[in-house]
Amino acid sequence: MSKRAKLQYKACTKCKLLVEPEVEVCPNCGSRNFSTDWEGMIIIIDPEKSEIAKLIGASKSGKYAIKVR
Ligand SMILES: [Zn+2]
């Protein structure tokens, strides 16, 4: 992933959802804590059917970071 792509998102420190920089409240878990220091990306399309979604605790479709510091 390029540095440029990374700068477009910040990751929720609680559920790892990736959101646009202007988002203030995480639409997945309601947290207000975000980090721009994250690595890797998982795209969840159907959380109901996705084993990965269950594994990372994602209840909402979207992009999730693999690692958030
Ligand atoms: Zn969250």
Side-chain angles (χ1 to χ4, degrees), residues 17-62:
L17 181 72
L18 293 171
V19 296
E20 304 285 322
E22 61 269 23
V23 174
E24 285 179 7
V25 179
C26 175
N28 186 46
C29 73
S31 170
R32 288 175 175 267
N33 296 313
F34 296 95
S35 171
T36 52
D37 191 5
W38 57 270
E39 264 177 36
M41 188 191 282
I42 300 169
I43 297 169
I44 304 292
I45 294 156
D46 191 344
E48 295 289 310
K49 291 175 187 164
S50 170
E51 287 302 317
I52 299 164
K54 287 180 192 113
L55 200 72
I56 65 170
S59 59
K60 198 178 181 297
S61 61

Side-chain angles (χ1 to χ4, degrees), residues 9-22:
Y9 298 105
K10 58 183 180 180
C12 173
T13 55
K14 200 174 169 187
C15 71
K16 298 180 181 175
L17 181 72
L18 293 171
V19 296
E20 304 285 322
E22 61 269 23

